[in-house]
Amino acid sequence: MKKIYILLLVQLFFSGYLFAQYPKMDKLLYGVAYYDEYMPYERLDKDVQMMKDCGINVVRIAESTWSTVEPQDGVFDFSHIDRVLSAMHKGGISVIIGTPTYAVPTWMVKKHPEILAITPSGQNQYGMRQNMDITNTNYRFYANRVIRKMMEHVKDNPAVIGYQVDNETKSYGTSGPNVQALFVKYMQAKYKTLDNINKIFGLDYWSNRINNWNDFPSMNGTINASLASEFAKFQRQLVTDYLAWQVAIVREYKRPDQFITHNFDFEWRGYSFGIQPDVDHFAAAKALDIAGVDIYHPSQDKLTGAEISFGGDVTRSMKGNRNYLVMETEAQGFPQWTPYPGQLRLQAFSHLASGANMVEYWPWHSIHNSAETYWKGLLSHDFEPNPVYNEAKTIGKDFARLSPQLINLKKKSDVAILFSNEALSGFKAFGFGWGVRTGYNEVLRQFYDGLYHMNVNCDFVDPTSQNIENYKVLIVPLLYAAPDSLLQRLNRFVKNGGHIIYTLKSGFSDENVKVRTSHQPGIIDEACGIYYNQFTVPENVGLKGDDFNLKPEDKKINIWMELITPTTAKVLAYYDHPVWGKYAAITENSYGKGLATYIGCLPTSAVTDKILADAIKKAGLWGADQEIAFPVITKSGVNKSGKTVHYYFNYSGNETTISYPYANGKELLSGNSIAAKSSLQLAPWGMKIIEVN
């Protein structure tokens, strides 16, 4: 039975993405998540009118409503969906339907308590969303049934333009006996014999050797980084398969003019921060017609736009540089996120500048009880117009007016960041040894933010990407775990003329998170022209070198230092230390037609910014945009008319003036003509959008 189940999953996975087709979009979508069933009193018609007044042209509904759709086992009630669909269609507002599978109803858990996932902390309790085991066969039965019943009911409704499968899906740490059994099957299929597993994963250590498949231990207590990382990879595959399974069901019913998406999210640090460790975004997105994303970020004086840009660049890259949908972002959100005047507009157009075709707020209305009471919507708890709603009205009008110029913006980048879920998992398991808390995403974001601040457009690639060789500069943060083939490919990238920047701990382990037996950094030493076999933790250590004209405090390093000996590399910086001073900290090596920079420590952002700027200049990519620096952010792309559009954002509370460096154009918001080399005045938290003639 399990074999049939696994084969079915594989079949559904392929059927899920084989027929994915990017939807034709001819207007910008501006929307909200709407929950009529949460309303404390009847106001649907008033909400629709207020939405129309605001320029809202799409809503997402139903993804949180399983207990309303199916109040008892097999008893279905779609009346709340029907009334919203009817009202929205009458008002000329389109609808995206969410499958309601991420929050299970009480009757299901009462009948099948095993649906609640068993995690390393024990079995989940009822109450929180996303508490179920997405592999559980009973859960899958009910999820399959409710999706089909809903699709049968709504598929022909003219208001429905698309579907969102599930919601911010992850594996939720599921690791109970049934998941463990699936993992053992996965290991048998991949590695064939226990001898292979014991050797590859080094399980003789601490008597962890497995001598019988029936004795395969739970992964919840493993101390082996290789096994922990393999289990994390397996859990990510569960997510990929689960989403593809849902997509395949929805695809049976959807009309050709409807799309399928999902709202991916990111590692959370109180806001959207980094690569999601629990989801393989590129693999999971293959099943979808169009990628969707949830992006939340600091606001007020902490608003920088970096998270909007980061989330957009990752999501755009998921489907091969395709436009995407922002399924959720904040209007007011947390109390500390209530935006200053002008910030909502700045945020909305920042999403478009990264390639979004939709901006949708979560939610329309603030909620009056339960977990998200103080995550405020576009409307506050009184449901009356407020300054944020009034500002949203101006966005809606501009989106409608400027759709022809701003829809389907195409972007071209010569710089990419290579991220790796395998490296992230491996590094998390044992990257710095004990006690060090700095993680993969902190390092990745330090480099991404440096590019962002100097207005360098950036894509994301992963080890499966076929287009790595198309870029001129490749940033490779913490590539802790990687197969020989990937490192050899990166060597060829440099040899053929690319410039690569590696950070510390790159090339350290193979794809099984087994530390290489050669001197470090393993295979990439060929392109980098260095080696090391010792490392330590810096105390009062800085950098010295002629190329770093920085303040003393900017030269300090922390966390980690690799004691590097160059073979053919030029030393950009040594360690400033009485003992370690003979060792290189940062090097650059000419290899073939290209350059490889290696950073063997964790320096300040002031240092990495200089390294990035030097790489951009040497690659011939330093241009007019790089003469403008944060807090002014500029992004560009080509619209469907073939004209270049330049966005200029002022991410500060101070008025600023810049020189517009391109050919004559038209400022789209005001309609004014703009001459080349004229001055652009940007108000506090203000912006300009120029379409070149």
Side-chain angles (χ1 to χ4, degrees), residues 372-390:
E372 292 170 318
T373 297
Y374 289 100
W375 189 301
K376 291 176 68 181
L378 190 59
L379 300 185
S380 296
H381 292 101
D382 61 2
F383 297 151
E384 295 300 321
N386 61 63
V388 177
Y389 170 80
N390 290 334

Side-chain angles (χ1 to χ4, degrees), residues 269-547:
R269 300 289 177 87
Y271 54 90
S272 306
F273 183 76
I275 298 298
Q276 174 58 257
D278 298 329
V279 180
D280 186 340
H281 280 151
F282 281 29
K286 287 180 180 178
L288 308 171
D289 297 320
I290 184 169
V293 67
D294 294 352
I295 300 175
Y296 294 102
H297 51 82
S299 189
Q300 300 181 12
D301 293 332
K302 295 179 180 178
L303 178 63
T304 67
E307 288 74 32
I308 294 173
S309 180
F310 170 80
D313 288 345
V314 172
T315 312
R316 190 184 66 249
S317 299
M318 284 183 201
K319 298 286 287 183
N321 206 29
R322 293 289 191 110
N323 301 100
Y324 59 94
L325 307 177
V326 178
M327 302 301 297
E328 294 183 22
T329 191
E330 70 213 56
Q332 298 186 80
F334 289 139
Q336 66 269 26
W337 289 353
T338 303
Y340 293 157
Q343 287 188 338
L344 198 72
R345 285 179 58 80
L346 186 68
Q347 294 161 196
F349 284 93
S350 293
H351 288 295
L352 299 188
S354 287
N357 276 346
M358 179 176 86
V359 176
E360 190 171 67
Y361 300 117
W362 195 92
W364 164 248
H365 50 275
S366 297
I367 296 166
H368 294 78
N369 57 321
S370 202
E372 292 170 318
T373 297
Y374 289 100
W375 189 301
K376 291 176 68 181
L378 190 59
L379 300 185
S380 296
H381 292 101
D382 61 2
F383 297 151
E384 295 300 321
N386 61 63
V388 177
Y389 170 80
N390 290 334
E391 190 168 311
K393 291 170 75 172
T394 72
I395 300 168
K397 289 178 182 178
D398 284 336
F399 272 28
R401 180 170 60 92
L402 299 176
S403 259
Q405 290 86 5
L406 303 182
I407 187 75
N408 296 321
L409 192 72
K410 298 305 175 190
K411 300 176 67 66
K412 172 72 167 66
S413 301
D414 291 309
V415 180
I417 292 177
L418 173 67
F419 77 96
S420 165
N421 282 102
E422 286 73 21
L424 191 162
S425 294
F427 186 80
K428 182 180 180 181
F430 215 54
F432 277 141
W434 289 287
V436 175
R437 296 192 179 277
T438 295
Y440 181 92
N441 277 317
E442 283 90 347
V443 177
L444 183 149
R445 277 294 304 268
Q446 182 169 323
F447 282 84
Y448 179 84
D449 290 0
L451 294 172
Y452 173 75
H453 290 153
M454 64 182 71
N455 288 307
V456 175
N457 285 325
C458 177
D459 290 345
F460 282 82
V461 292
D462 81 348
T464 69
S465 297
Q466 300 299 307
N467 62 333
I468 290 174
E469 288 73 17
N470 296 345
Y471 296 94
K472 294 181 179 179
V473 177
L474 199 60
I475 316 299
V476 186
L478 283 175
L479 190 58
Y480 183 72
D484 292 0
S485 59
L486 176 59
L487 301 185
Q488 290 160 354
R489 183 183 180 189
L490 296 177
N491 282 348
R492 290 193 299 273
F493 172 84
V494 180
K495 193 172 186 178
N496 292 331
H499 191 154
I500 203 164
I501 300 174
Y502 289 106
T503 75
L504 68 169
K505 301 292 278 188
S506 291
F508 204 81
S509 300
D510 67 15
E511 67 270 31
N512 297 306
V513 199
K514 191 172 186 178
V515 174
R516 287 186 163 83
T517 56
S518 63
H519 59 213
Q520 296 294 351
I523 291 167
I524 61 173
D525 64 353
E526 181 181 336
C528 293
I530 61 169
Y531 75 90
Y532 71 92
N533 51 31
Q534 287 187 295
F535 41 77
T536 187
V537 177
E539 293 189 20
N540 298 316
V541 179
L543 298 173
K544 60 184 179 182
D546 295 336
D547 293 334

